[in-house]
Amino acid sequence: MHQAKLLDGRVVAAAVHERTRARVEKLRQQGVEPSVAFFRVGEDPASELYVRMKEKRAREVGIRSEVVVLPAAAAEQELLGRLEEKNRDPGTHGVLVQMPLPRQIRAEVVCQAIDPSKDIDGFHPVNAGKLLLGDPSGFPPCTPAGICAIFRHYGLVTAGAEVVILGRSNIVGKPLAALLLGKGAQGDATVTVLHSQSRHIPEHCRRADFLIAALGKAEFVRGPMIKPGAVVVDVGVSRLPDPSLPGGSRIVGDVHFSEALRTAAWLTPNPGGVGPMTIAMLLANTVEAAERLAA
Ligand SMILES: NC(=O)c1ccc[n+]([C@@H]2O[C@H](COP(=O)([O-])OP(=O)(O)OC[C@H]3O[C@@H](n4cnc5c(N)ncnc54)[C@H](OP(=O)(O)O)[C@@H]3O)[C@@H](O)[C@H]2O)c1
């Protein structure tokens, strides 16, 4: 029986980390110590875990990291003041604020307060604009950049292909559409972006040579929605109840894995697909920021 080949994000992320480590080493030889500041507000356990994972990976590739923790009741102005300190610090090359933020702090104001040249998440409007204009001097958001890196690693060419993206968020769907629509070997696709108001979703999906699901709806993409031989990327992370497991739940993606395995040519496992790429691209952006400053 046919079975899709897996797009192993752990392998691709390890290769990206290896390249980042070599770039860090080169910078250190020039007397530059790449450095990143992670901001966290409050005690959200998931945010704590994410920041810890980012710190660990940064350490592994030789990037110095500092975590700035503010109390859950911190005022927006306090966070903006602390960000400004890092914007001005020539020894800090990357700045990231872990989302979500408490209600009194507006995420869009925070994104705009980070110096675009240190915005390793790529969420600042200047970087979003550069992405749309095809200007490589910005920073692409990490999850979409990670998906493109997976394609590159496995030699999957999007030029001329039908790409369908499920989801139009500012952090995944829209920037991914911009990357794949851009001119050049890594883009040149015909891109369709679907969202909650789209009609005929299964029909659109069935046309896709590359189908990317980023909507956060557990197992939304079923086998019959996939064109035989397609490349399927599952970005979603949802929790489904499963009393047979110790935690009482299991993590699933936006794609029904076993059905997709029988139809697609290539498929990301989930976990182990897109997830590991996000931190890898974040650290690649950090070293890129340090290289630009050193140039
Ligand atoms: N692995 C990683 O590193 C990583 C990184 C980022 C996100 N994620 C995961 O990826 C998923 C998406 O994240 P996000 O931040 O992009 O989510 P989001 O901001 O919630 O956006 C979801 C998008 O999906 C669309 N959508 C929702 N239900 C739909 C439906 N039934 N049919 C068609 N479209 C629908 C929404 O449409 P509207 O715009 O019309 O509401 C929206 O555009 C989440 O599960 C998230 O946890 C994973």
Side-chain angles (χ1 to χ4, degrees):
M1 207 197 351
H2 167 82
Q3 189 159 317
K5 287 186 278 246
L6 294 183
L7 298 166
D8 191 335
R10 292 193 176 111
V11 167
V12 187
V16 174
H17 283 309
E18 209 40 64
R19 285 196 294 274
T20 301
R21 205 192 322 270
R23 292 164 73 180
V24 168
E25 190 47 45
K26 204 166 162 203
L27 280 168
R28 282 179 180 273
Q29 281 165 11
Q30 295 164 21
V32 178
E33 184 184 34
S35 158
V36 59
F38 299 123
F39 282 77
R40 183 163 66 70
V41 186
E43 305 303 327
D44 172 44
S47 294
E48 274 181 49
L49 176 69
Y50 288 142
V51 171
R52 258 204 316 277
M53 279 163 56
K54 288 170 186 172
E55 264 188 287
K56 179 171 176 280
R57 290 272 178 259
R59 203 166 39 243
E60 284 168 5
V61 297
I63 293 175
R64 182 167 60 85
S65 68
E66 179 191 352
V67 182
V68 181
V69 183
L70 274 67
E76 184 177 280
Q77 212 48 47
E78 188 181 346
L79 175 58
L80 297 182
R82 299 296 297 275
L83 284 173
E84 191 49 30
E85 285 169 19
K86 293 297 171 197
N87 282 345
R88 291 205 189 137
D89 173 12
T92 300
H93 305 102
V95 175
L96 173 147
V97 179
Q98 185 63 46
M99 301 289 168
L101 290 165
R103 243 192 313 204
Q104 75 276 12
I105 303 181
R106 293 165 294 174
E108 68 279 12
V109 172
V110 169
C111 284
Q112 291 181 30
I114 296 171
D115 181 333
S117 69
K118 299 188 178 188
D119 171 37
I120 51 172
D121 254 338
F123 296 156
H124 191 285
V126 165
N127 285 320
K130 285 183 173 180
L131 177 62
L132 266 184
L133 296 173
D135 176 345
S137 73
F139 292 107
C142 300
T143 302
I147 294 169
C148 292
I150 290 177
F151 294 161
R152 205 161 40 238
H153 183 94
Y154 284 95
L156 301 171
V157 177
T158 54
E162 293 280 344
V163 172
V164 172
I165 301 170
L166 280 155
R168 59 173 165 185
S169 73
N170 288 336
I171 63 167
V172 187
K174 276 193 235 167
L176 181 61
L179 280 170
L180 294 175
L181 194 59
K183 287 197 177 190
Q186 268 291 285
D188 280 343
T190 303
V191 182
T192 304
V193 183
L194 306 175
H195 48 79
S196 68
Q197 305 307 305
S198 298
R199 294 197 197 111
H200 313 304
I201 288 179
E203 286 82 351
H204 282 295
C205 291
R206 267 194 294 276
R207 285 193 294 105
D209 302 311
F210 289 72
L211 178 61
I212 297 135
L215 33 66
K217 297 268 176 262
E219 299 179 334
F220 180 92
V221 176
R222 307 301 301 252
M225 292 165 73
I226 298 168
K227 176 176 169 178
V231 177
V232 178
V233 175
D234 187 0
V235 186
V237 182
S238 303
R239 207 169 263 284
L240 280 188
D242 188 340
S244 73
L245 291 177
S249 67
R250 66 191 164 99
I251 301 282
V252 293
D254 288 344
V255 176
H256 193 292
F257 185 75
S258 58
E259 291 182 8
L261 206 56
R262 288 197 289 273
T263 314
W266 292 93
L267 174 64
T268 55
N270 195 344
V274 176
M277 294 307 298
T278 302
I279 295 183
M281 303 319 285
L282 187 76
L283 298 177
N285 277 350
T286 305
V287 82
E288 175 78 33
E291 285 169 353
R292 287 177 189 171
L293 202 75

